[in-house]
Amino acid sequence: MLNKTGLAVSPGIAIGKAVILDSEEYQIPKRSISPSLCDSEVQRAHHAFEMAIAELAALEAEYQASDSSEIHDLFSVHRHFLQDQSLRDRVTQRIHQDCVTAEYAASSVLQELHSHFAKVPNRYISERAADVRDIEKRLLRHLIDLKKETLGHLTEEMVVVARELRPTQTAAFDKQFVKGIVCDTGGVTSHASIVARAMGIPAVMALHDLTETVRRGDMLIVDGNSGTVIVNPSAETIARFRETQAAMVALQASFSVLKEQPAMTQDGVDISLMANIEFPRESGAVLDAGAQGIGLFRTEFLYLQSGKEPTEEDHYTAYVQVVKTLNGRPVTIRTMDLGADKFTQSHRFTREDNPFLGLRSIRFSLMHRDMFVAQLRAILRASTQGPVKLMFPLISGVREIQLAREILASVKADLDRTGQGYDTDMPVGIMIEVPSAAVMAACFARYVDFFSIGSNDLTQYALAVDRGNAQVADLFSSFDPGVLRLIQMTVDGAATTGIDVSVCGEMASEPAFVMLLLGMGVRSLSVVPSLIPEVKRIIRSVSMAQCRDLVETVFLMDSVSEIDEYVQQKIRSVSLQKLGDM
Ligand code: PEP
Ligand code: MG
């Protein structure tokens, strides 16, 4: 039994066998084959060896010419390794002896070598383990390019173990079989984590080297509440976690009493509690959770889920489905936030050294006007079916608001020409996620109808901490006094023209932040549907006077740890005091 601790990013407990998903989406299941197929599998294996050797020889030649002799030598070592006849013989033998596929044989032989190297007490030799892993991946790429395996083949409940997860991969998981997610990299607000939460799959990220220790088929417990992963637990531990799982289901059921109750503080201040969704199919859960509407519909998943760009009709169908299900409640549709960690297969993306600071989000939309127009037309057309609000992400300057609004105006004019209806009063807002926007909030408030604070990006850009990088995850904190001041500036800026301001980043769903946000003057929160009851419980437990006092004290503090500790302790005492009142 082995315990590992990472970041708890999606609550709940999952118990199941591990399925390893490497970063290139290849899963190597142990698949028995008929003995008559062994020869052709051996041929496939040999072909992959040849391809990998040729590829390495080409890389060697490329680096021969340059000054990078170390790189050249590395490729040369890898090539010699693959040319070693005894390695090839072991793979051939494995295929014949165990009647398994070429990829399984190659992967298992190389994994054995990897463990062997890793255990050698000589540092020089143990470091070669990483080379073996590299060689394994190269070989597998050639094999699996010929015969690709994905998680689409899962037929039993599993826990996905990955070195790295892209949001697209996560969104494609089948919830019926993927019961938990654990990952070496990632952070609480990385998009893969957001998707895991939206799908209600317990997940723990930033486990650093878990993939080095877990093998396919190992039993895992994923505790998405505490951030713990237990590898090959004892029967008693499994029984204990099953009990906790059942207790959590019961707690969730007890929240249902809150559904019909208003999100109102003890002293009668109404808070608008909205939901964030990524997929139209979540709209039902929004209503079940008792949300007043949708504060953030992340539309990127329309692009990421399929291999092709969505048409205007694809957009329209998705939006109308959500608007109709919400039945008169407002739906805030955010235009595409592509780029950074959300890429499509489209040729429109080129490699960037700093994609989070590059052609992302509204910048991408303004550069690809045809895609942007298709989305705007669909949003406008959907606004005839119910209250729709339009929101532009990642605004950093007034010029972007003006350009986006100009395009919107020309789309409206086109619809007018063809006699297609839309809500002429559709509110237009922006996300405040770049520090410059927070600082300029009082000015931006003259150009739009509402603000929504994207605290995930605002924190990332204010602190210069990549929200998905496990190595700096402990530096990512929205409790940072600088971040809190940017939020306060946004709220105050909005007040100068009286526009609404809400918070839709993950901060809004953390009980510890709820009191702070209310105290700073935020009156609307938008959170993942599953956390609405918990946030509502906190809102109903506090008074505005308590929240303002909290903010006053916190604004005198200098450090994240001091603020974090103080706010957590305050929220604990409020939660305990009021638990009995529910
Ligand atoms: C945010 O940045 O806080 C936000 C809500 O947008 P996203 O998480 O989709 O980047
Ligand atoms: Mg954002």
Side-chain angles (χ1 to χ4, degrees), residues 191 298 334 337 360 393-394 431 433 454 456-457 467:
H191 286 110
R298 290 183 169 96
R334 175 178 80 178
D337 183 31
R360 177 189 172 191
L394 209 81
M431 291 192 69
E433 346 188 53
N456 307 332
D457 277 315
R467 59 195 266 192

Side-chain angles (χ1 to χ4, degrees), residues 111-130:
Q111 279 183 20
E112 282 163 15
L113 282 173
H114 174 271
S115 324
H116 176 73
F117 275 104
K119 278 190 214 131
V120 175
N122 175 313
R123 193 165 148 250
Y124 175 77
I125 298 180
S126 66
E127 280 175 357
R128 302 283 71 75

Side-chain angles (χ1 to χ4, degrees), residues 408-427:
L408 181 67
S410 74
V411 171
K412 284 182 179 174
D414 276 346
L415 291 175
D416 288 339
R417 264 193 293 280
T418 50
Q420 280 167 292
Y422 59 88
D423 173 8
T424 48
D425 295 324
M426 180 181 70

Side-chain angles (χ1 to χ4, degrees), residues 316-376:
Y316 179 73
T317 309
Y319 304 152
V320 167
Q321 182 190 337
V322 175
V323 172
K324 284 201 167 148
T325 312
L326 267 281
N327 196 18
R329 296 173 184 81
V331 177
T332 310
I333 304 179
R334 175 178 80 178
T335 60
M336 56 191 167
D337 183 31
L338 294 172
D341 59 347
K342 291 183 282 196
F343 288 107
T344 68
Q345 303 304 318
S346 165
H347 60 281
R348 301 190 195 230
F349 290 98
T350 48
R351 215 194 75 78
E352 293 176 294
D353 284 338
N354 278 314
F356 274 95
L357 301 182
L359 195 61
R360 177 189 172 191
S361 203
I362 190 70
R363 304 169 186 178
F364 178 86
S365 299
L366 295 173
M367 283 279 286
H368 297 280
R369 192 172 165 138
D370 55 333
M371 280 171 83
F372 194 35
V373 164
Q375 182 171 35
L376 292 177

